[in-house]
Structure formats: C-alpha cells, structure tokens
Amino acid sequence: MTELRHRGATDKELQHQNSEDKGSETEGKERDGASDNETKSDSGVPEVPVSADDTPEVLNKALSGLSSRWKNWWVRGILTLAMISFFFIIIYLGPMVLMMIVLCVQIKCFHEIITIGYSVYHSYHLPWFRTLSWYFLLCVNYFFYGETVTDYFFTLVQREEPLRILSKYHRFISFALYLTGFCMFVLSLVKKHYRLQFYMVSAYTVGFLLFIVPISCVICNDIMAYMFGFFFGRTPLIKLSPKKTWEGFIGGFFATVVFGILLSYVMSGYRFFVCPVEFNNDSNSFTVDCEPSELFQLQDYGLPPVLKSITGWTTVKLYPFQIHSIALSAFASIMGPFGGFFASGFKRAFKIKDFANTIPGHGGIMDRFDCQYLMATFVNVYIASFIRGPNPSKVIQQLLALRLDQQLHIFNSLKAHLTEKGLLPALEEAA
C-alpha cells in the first residue's frame, strides 16, 4: 500500500511537471509567435532604396590609401569648406539672392522628405499624395511670408495692383487656399487607409545679421562638435546618434559661444549686415542703408568684480547684439542638436542613412539643415519677444487704410504730442 501510494504521488508529480512543461512550451510558442509577428510587421514596412556612394572619383582616387574613418573625415572636411565658401559668396551677392537661396533650400528639403514618403507609401496607391504635399507647402509659404514681404516692401506692394490685392486680402486668400486643400484631401480618402492618410495630412500642416549669426552658430556647432568628438570623443551622448559624444557636445558648446560673440562684434560694424532691405521708389531699386539702431551701436558695460581683478578693466565696449548672440549661440549648441536627433530617429524609422545623396559625405540638404529648422523657429520667437519693436511701415500701412477724417484726427493728435514734447518747432526750423 505504501508503495502504491508512493507510486501514485510520483505519478501526480510527473503529471504536474508535464503540465508545467507544456505550459512553458505554449508560452514559448506564444512568445515566438509574437516575435515572428513583430518581425513580419517590421519586414512588411517598405524600405527606401539605399543611396549609392556618390563621392567624386577624384576624391576616391586621392584618398584610396586611407582607412574608411579618415577617408570620411577628409571628404566631409573638403565639402564643408566648399559649402562655407558658397555661403560667403551668397552673403556677398546680397539679401535678395539670400532670400532666393533660402526658398530653394526649403523646397529641396521638402522634396527629400516627400520623396521618402512616396517611396514608402506608393504601394498603397494613395491619390494626390505628392500633389497635396506641394500644394500645402505653397499655402504655408504664402501665409507666413505674405505679411512679412508687405512690411518690408510696402512701397513696391502699394504701387503694383496685383500685389496690393494679395496683401490686402492676405488672410482671406490664405484661408481659401487652405479650405481648397482641405476639400481635396477629403475627396482623396481611400476606405482602407483612413488612418494612414490622416496621419500624413497632420505632417503637411506642421536684418541680414539676425539671419547670418544663427545659421553660422549652428554651422560652427556642427563642425566643432564633430572635431571634438572625432579627436576626443569617448562617452556616447544618445542612442539615436551613436557617433555623438559628450566631449563633442561640450566642446562644440564653448566654441560656438565664443564664435557667436566674435562674429557679432565684427558684423555689427557694417551697415550692410544691420540695415533692413528697403525698396527705394526714387531709384526704383532695393537699398541697404540706414542709421543703425541702438542694438548695433557700441556701449559701455561694467565688468563684474572678479573680471575687474583679473583684467584691471572697469568697463568694456560691446554691441548690445553681442549679449543676444550669447543666447542664440547657447540655443544652437544645447537645443539645436535635438533637431538632428529628431532627424536621426526619423531616418531610423524609415531604415535609411541619409535623406538623399546630394552632398558627398554629408547626405542630402535636409541632413545639413535638420538643426536649422529648430533654430529658425527659436530665432523668430526670440526676435518677436526681446528685439523687435513697432514697425513704422506697418503703422503707416494701417493709417492709410483708415478714412480721411480718422487720418486727420490722428495727424492733429500727433502734432499736438510733438508740440508738447518740443520737437515740432525744431523740426519746422530744420525744414
């Protein structure tokens, strides 16, 4: 009996162990199935074709004896110097050429992103994918640039009737264009791909010196972070960009702040860089000439006690814009790289290395301007919050839109105010 009981207990233990083994096998199968499903879902995502090596043959032959690490260093360095030289040529050609280059860069970056999207999603046969993409780009540019162009080129806009209409009814036309695109999007919806199409449409709706300094700071930070990281980098910074290091990040920060202060000091002394572009009705041309504002005039600043003891100076002459350049340089160094991290995550999502192969060793135009878009947004907010004052051209534009009796009332009020301040008699004597 005892032996039977022992056998019975043993049988129960074996049955329990077998059930556990079966359960573990089932769990293993479920896990394997889940991983298989994940693999299938990942493999089901269309991949963008990998770009071929587009390094010029001359550079390939000249650098053939180097390792891939140093070959990439020299290719990036040579092309970087070429791009910086091209940037200086654009600055020399003037603001109008710079505006056109900015528009071309924006269009090229958008083209690279849309090309990636079309390469991935063209198999879904979504109607009007590229048409709607370019249409919304046109609407956004018209909405954001319309009022700015009117402010700076008020005389020219008022002289040409078509431009005057586009300026006067700018917001209404912008809304009408957006409404047309909205209707086109609704008509393009495909029953099986609603979620995908709504996800994609959400992506659609997303002085000269004040332009050059921020861009130059981002370029400087990119170069110096690469240099410090290449020679001294040891500690990884973020998983999205394995080649980024803390040494490069910190070294790029200090180098960019110093560069921003020096560049601001040099450029603030030239009217070409500090005066806005205006249309001269008498000469029928664009001019860059003005009396620099206080922002670009040297002023005395007292030094902290610590610096006084070190340098022996009590004050130092600086342009007020140099103080602002510290904020711009700091943002370019600390927050600007996150635009690059975002772009790295975007490229990893689509399993590509670069947005395009436009520039050997660097990738596409978007690869060079991934940080610039975040920087441009910050500069716009910073200028509106801390630098920009009332715009005389915009005030005049609003005054001319009033009735004649309202204009006369404002004239009399302004005359009384200037007389009270003692300025009007002085102006009359000067006249």
Side-chain angles (χ1 to χ4, degrees), residues 279-295:
F279 182 80
N280 192 323
N281 202 26
D282 297 329
S283 61
N284 199 31
S285 62
F286 294 99
T287 59
V288 183
D289 189 22
C290 68
E291 185 65 29
S293 65
E294 294 182 356
L295 192 66

Side-chain angles (χ1 to χ4, degrees), residues 317-337:
K317 284 187 176 292
L318 293 174
Y319 292 101
F321 181 70
Q322 287 182 270
I323 309 300
H324 295 292
S325 72
I326 297 175
L328 297 176
S329 302
F331 185 90
S333 305
I334 298 174
M335 299 303 299

Side-chain angles (χ1 to χ4, degrees), residues 164-277:
R164 191 181 65 82
I165 294 174
L166 291 175
S167 172
K168 184 177 181 180
Y169 303 105
H170 168 258
R171 297 202 175 189
F172 178 79
I173 296 174
S174 299
F175 179 74
L177 290 172
Y178 180 81
L179 197 61
T180 303
F182 180 81
C183 295
M184 291 171 62
F185 167 72
V186 172
L187 294 174
S188 69
L189 289 174
V190 178
K191 186 175 182 180
K192 295 181 180 179
H193 305 300
Y194 288 158
R195 181 180 299 179
L196 175 62
Q197 288 182 280
F198 275 100
Y199 168 77
M200 290 165 61
V201 80
S202 64
Y204 301 151
T205 58
V206 132
F208 211 24
L209 180 61
L210 291 171
F211 176 86
I212 295 174
V213 170
I215 281 189
S216 301
C217 286
V218 173
I219 295 173
C220 174
N221 180 255
D222 196 19
I223 294 174
M224 298 310 297
Y226 178 77
M227 297 290 287
F228 276 94
F230 186 87
F231 290 104
F232 308 107
R234 296 291 182 274
T235 312
L237 176 63
I238 188 171
K239 291 183 179 180
L240 280 174
S241 296
K243 294 183 179 180
K244 298 290 194 309
T245 62
W246 275 105
E247 291 80 4
F249 184 79
I250 296 172
F253 169 78
F254 286 105
T256 303
V257 171
V258 173
F259 172 79
I261 294 173
L262 296 177
L263 181 65
S264 301
Y265 181 83
V266 173
M267 299 183 70
S268 294
Y270 295 90
R271 293 189 178 186
F272 179 78
F273 296 113
V274 302
C275 292
V277 184

Side-chain angles (χ1 to χ4, degrees), residues 114-145:
I114 290 303
T115 300
I116 293 173
Y118 184 75
S119 300
V120 173
Y121 295 117
H122 74 280
S123 60
Y124 292 98
H125 303 292
L126 302 178
W128 302 348
F129 172 76
R130 285 182 291 188
T131 303
L132 281 173
S133 302
W134 289 105
Y135 179 81
F136 277 111
L137 176 67
L138 173 65
C139 295
V140 169
N141 275 281
Y142 176 72
F143 176 74
F144 282 108
Y145 294 148

